Amino acid sequence: MIQIDDAGSGSLVGGTAIGLLRTSTLEYYYEVIPIKYFKSPYFKEKNSKIIV
């Protein structure tokens, strides 16, 4: 199983970290999405709709 978490996405100070943990091996990987991607022109409107 792989667990995914989006730490900090509710409070965008310094960007958002996305972390992945592979529970079988405890491998951990993360990246930070810089704050600039939550501002114009990259981020036009917040859309909470889930498209399946």
Side-chain angles (χ1 to χ4, degrees):
M1 173 172 44
I2 296 176
Q3 296 177 343
I4 302 172
D5 186 33
D6 61 338
S9 62
S11 175
L12 297 175
V13 177
T16 295
I18 304 293
L20 293 89
L21 173 67
R22 184 183 304 251
T23 57
S24 60
T25 62
L26 297 180
E27 292 174 85
Y28 180 72
Y29 179 79
Y30 77 94
E31 285 288 333
V32 175
I33 301 171
I35 194 74
K36 75 177 189 176
Y37 291 110
F38 295 93
K39 297 180 180 179
S40 188
Y42 301 104
F43 192 83
K44 293 185 181 181
E45 72 178 55
K46 186 172 184 175
N47 187 347
S48 61
K49 294 179 184 175
I50 297 174
I51 300 172
V52 185

